[in-house]
Each structure stands twice: as structure tokens, then as C-alpha cells.
Amino acid sequence: MSELRELYQQVILDHHKKPRNFRKLAEPTGAAEGYNPLCGDRVSVELELADGVIREVAFQGTGCAISRAAASVMTSEVRGKTPEDALALFERFRAMVTGDAEADPEAGDRLAVFAGVREFPARVKCATLPWHTFNAALSGATEPVSTE
Ligand code: ZN
């Protein structure tokens, strides 16, 4: 298990150092801002919805390694999905980081790298902030998202 944990940490650090989809979109159809006052994480998520599919999704912001890596992995995972499938993924992610569901790394579960976050309750909000913000961007929320 410790080897697996080390691998997970490497994945998180890699996404933190080289975040995927860290940019602005030219023509977003939805956008939202998120803030986690507990840690100071700030994230903005932009997405482009076309023909019922999330064509593009990108983020910007400042925050800890967990929030940045979570945003990076999230944007990679939800692209090409329908909003329904993306939100189902959010539910699974939330269940995994809060410990309500087990991760299954053998099933190629790329969200599983965040399962270790459950051992650090203060970090759960760092990991879910990008997802909450994405959800707000999808539903056209105008108020910034706060985890508090
Ligand atoms: Zn954080």
C-alpha cells in the first residue's frame, strides 16, 4: 500500500507542477469562481458546452498542490462527457475523498489518486473545490462558490 501511496503522491505532484488545461478559453459558455477560505485556494473554471457535450474545460487560479492537482485531473476527466456523466463523476469523486466509497485503482480509476485525501479532513475541501466550481459553471451560477 505504501508504494501505491507514493505513486499517488507523485501523480498529484506532477499535476501540481504541470497542470493540464491551465488556461483561459476563447469562448466559454459557462464560468464560475471558487474559493476555499480554509486553505486560501482560489480557482476559476471555464467550460464550453456544445451539442450536449463538454467540449472544452479549463481552469486558472492559485492554491495548494491538492486543489491544483484536483482541478487538473478534473478538467482532463470531464472533457468529452455529457454534463450528467461529469456530475456522476463528481459524486463518485466526493464519495471517494470523504471515505464513503472505495477507490478501485485496478479499474483504471484515475480519480483514485485522491483517495488518500480522506485521511486529511481539512484537505477534502481543497480536492472538491474545483468540482464544486465546475458544477457552478455548468449550472450557470453567478455567485462565487465558497466551501464555507
Ligand atoms: Zn488547499
Side-chain angles (χ1 to χ4, degrees):
M1 187 62 203
S2 69
E3 259 178 51
L4 200 57
R5 185 156 302 169
E6 207 163 289
L7 173 71
Y8 286 177
Q9 276 173 4
Q10 279 173 17
V11 172
I12 288 174
L13 284 176
D14 177 58
H15 276 272
H16 171 57
K17 276 190 229 152
K18 291 177 288 180
R20 303 350 175 229
N21 310 305
F22 189 82
R23 60 195 169 90
K24 282 188 85 63
L25 295 185
E27 292 177 56
T29 58
E33 306 272 327
Y35 178 46
N36 173 15
L38 219 59
C39 178
D41 307 314
R42 285 181 190 279
V43 65
S44 65
V45 173
E46 291 183 334
L47 57 86
E48 191 188 321
L49 198 64
D51 302 323
V53 171
I54 298 155
R55 294 245 180 257
E56 285 291 345
V57 51
F59 80 102
Q60 291 196 297
T62 54
C64 67
I66 301 276
S67 70
R68 226 163 120 97
S72 175
V73 171
M74 177 202 70
T75 54
S76 308
E77 290 295 306
V78 299
R79 170 177 294 142
K81 288 195 163 55
T82 63
E84 291 74 25
D85 286 350
L87 293 179
L89 210 57
F90 175 25
E91 280 311 311
R92 232 157 52 75
F93 181 80
R94 182 154 57 182
M96 209 163 54
V97 296
T98 54
D100 287 344
E102 286 306 315
D104 186 2
E106 311 233 321
D109 195 339
R110 273 179 289 180
L111 301 179
V113 295
F114 293 95
V117 168
R118 71 181 63 171
E119 288 164 40
F120 309 94
R123 292 294 185 182
V124 170
K125 287 177 177 169
C126 302
T128 54
L129 175 70
W131 289 88
H132 282 295
T133 310
F134 164 74
N135 189 16
L138 209 50
S139 57
T142 47
E143 292 287 303
V145 178
S146 174
T147 54
E148 290 306 299

